[in-house]
Amino acid sequence: MTGSLNQSIVTTFIMLGLSSKPQLQVLLFILFLSIYIVALLGNLLIIAAILSSFKLHRPMYFFLFHLAVVDIICTTTIIPNMLGNLVAVTKSLSYSGCMVQLYFFTWSLGAEMVLFTIMAYDRYVAICHPLRYSIMMNKTVCVGLSALMIVIAVVNSWVHTGLVLQLSFCGLNVINHFFCEIPSLLALSCTSVHLNEVMVFTADIFLAMGDFLLTCVSYCFIVRAILRIKTVEGKRKAFSICSSHLIVVSLYYSTVIYTYIRPASSYSFNRDKIIATLYTLVTPTLNPIVYTLRNKDVKMAIKKMLLYPGK
């Protein structure tokens, strides 16, 4: 059966969400609406601050700007529909809507992993090669890395979404999840998902594990450079910043790798839905906090923008 036949068989998916208990759904609605507002406002503040402050027109903030945009796309792709289903009687999503959600989520997933690696490399150059930073991270390099991120994310999303479009669902349209994700869709298919699983596993190895390894290598060099700092206060501050970055990155990569490295037959819906909230909702909310909490330049730019608009 082809992708076009899929649409004639399944026109709507029923989303079970995180819980079917009405009293719990109210609490979940309040919780995830709060998370969405924090994530959206936090990332919009970062974008506005970087655009408004000439002092932030540097490579580090160039990539932080990209990360904020990706996080907004990720959360906006998932949370509004999820909130709607929490209060709706019929928790449904159209076939085309599901595929669009899958495409943009997969895109943001790939983009975020590549961005974490690029940002770790940027910090490595800044700390380990400060005198050559302006040369190694010039405008051409930054634009090239940004273009590479977009290409990898688009190709990754095209491949996985295209393969899912070739599957047949034979009337099974109940998704035990709060959004359209590859493992939950593969579990519904009545045709072979072997190629899908091979491509998901390949992407997990090269994209997720590969990026995580490169990120860890960058931070190993950074830690070695930090150990050479003579002052205790300097070491403490540097370790504090690096450790917070690593915690968020490790949380993101470990949950993504765990989810996508396994075959669809071993997918545990109730457990894995909780895990999915970590890399789809929690990490995009933490990123603005972690990457700006100890950054004086960003905090000053936001303060100036809020207190003295137009100046």
Side-chain angles (χ1 to χ4, degrees):
M1 297 182 189
T2 63
S4 61
L5 186 56
N6 285 347
Q7 296 184 21
S8 65
I9 296 175
V10 175
T11 58
T12 304
F13 287 106
I14 305 300
M15 315 295 294
L16 294 186
L18 287 170
S19 174
S20 59
K21 298 178 180 179
Q23 64 273 23
L24 189 56
Q25 287 183 347
V26 174
L27 294 175
L28 289 174
F29 181 87
I30 296 171
L31 172 64
F32 289 114
L33 178 61
S34 302
I35 289 175
Y36 183 54
I37 292 172
V38 170
L40 191 62
L41 291 180
N43 284 297
L44 284 174
L45 271 177
I46 289 176
I47 291 172
I50 293 172
L51 290 176
S52 64
S53 176
F54 182 77
K55 194 174 183 181
L56 300 183
H57 293 178
R58 302 205 300 267
M60 173 184 174
Y61 305 108
F62 176 74
F63 297 120
L64 186 58
F65 174 91
H66 282 69
L67 183 64
V69 171
V70 171
D71 283 339
I72 289 174
I73 292 173
C74 180
T75 52
T76 303
T77 297
I78 296 169
I79 299 185
N81 181 262
M82 175 189 182
L83 293 175
N85 283 335
L86 282 171
V87 297
V89 176
T90 304
K91 307 175 189 304
S92 61
L93 180 62
S94 68
Y95 179 90
S96 58
C98 181
M99 294 303 109
V100 169
Q101 189 180 70
L102 175 66
Y103 177 85
F104 282 104
F105 168 70
T106 309
W107 181 90
S108 61
L109 193 70
E112 187 131 351
M113 286 188 284
V114 176
L115 269 173
F116 278 140
T117 305
I118 292 173
M119 293 173 73
Y121 173 72
D122 173 73
R123 292 299 83 206
Y124 156 74
V125 176
I127 294 173
C128 299
H129 303 283
L131 299 179
R132 298 175 58 198
Y133 181 75
S134 59
I135 298 174
M136 295 177 70
M137 295 300 293
N138 59 51
K139 186 176 181 180
T140 303
V141 173
C142 290
V143 172
L145 289 172
S146 176
L148 178 65
M149 176 270 292
I150 293 172
V151 169
I152 291 175
V154 167
V155 170
N156 179 62
S157 191
W158 274 355
V159 169
H160 294 302
T161 306
L163 288 173
V164 170
L165 282 168
Q166 300 305 310
L167 298 177
S168 297
F169 298 103
C170 305
L172 296 174
N173 68 334
V174 179
I175 298 178
N176 192 1
H177 211 317
F178 58 88
F179 73 105
C180 288
E181 193 176 22
I182 294 174
S184 57
L185 288 169
L186 296 188
L188 280 183
S189 176
C190 59
T191 52
S192 175
V193 296
H194 177 70
L195 181 58
N196 300 73
E197 290 182 336
V198 168
M199 293 308 297
V200 167
F201 182 81
T202 302
D204 210 28
I205 294 295
F206 288 98
L207 193 57
M209 289 182 142
D211 280 327
F212 183 54
L213 180 61
L214 289 173
T215 301
C216 288
V217 169
S218 295
Y219 275 105
C220 283
F221 283 109
I222 290 171
V223 169
R224 190 176 70 173
I226 290 173
L227 292 173
R228 295 173 182 170
I229 298 175
K230 293 182 180 180
T231 63
V232 176
E233 180 61 22
K235 286 183 179 180
R236 187 199 64 77
K237 184 178 180 181
F239 269 122
S240 178
I241 294 173
C242 287
S243 62
S244 60
H245 291 186
L246 273 176
I247 288 171
V248 173
V249 169
S250 298
L251 175 67
Y252 188 81
Y253 278 112
S254 60
T255 51
V256 168
I257 291 170
Y258 170 79
T259 299
Y260 286 91
I261 204 166
R262 298 167 299 144
S265 57
S266 65
Y267 195 72
S268 175
F269 294 105
N270 291 330
R271 179 186 62 219
D272 292 346
K273 281 190 289 187
I274 304 300
I275 293 173
T277 62
L278 297 177
Y279 57 84
T280 59
L281 309 177
V282 176
T283 303
T285 306
L286 288 177
N287 282 339
I289 300 170
V290 169
Y291 283 97
T292 61
L293 190 61
R294 297 179 180 88
N295 192 307
K296 292 182 180 178
D297 291 337
V298 175
K299 287 192 290 186
M300 286 299 295
I302 293 175
K303 184 177 179 180
K304 181 180 178 181
M305 182 180 63
L306 295 177
L307 297 179
Y308 310 103
K311 291 186 179 182

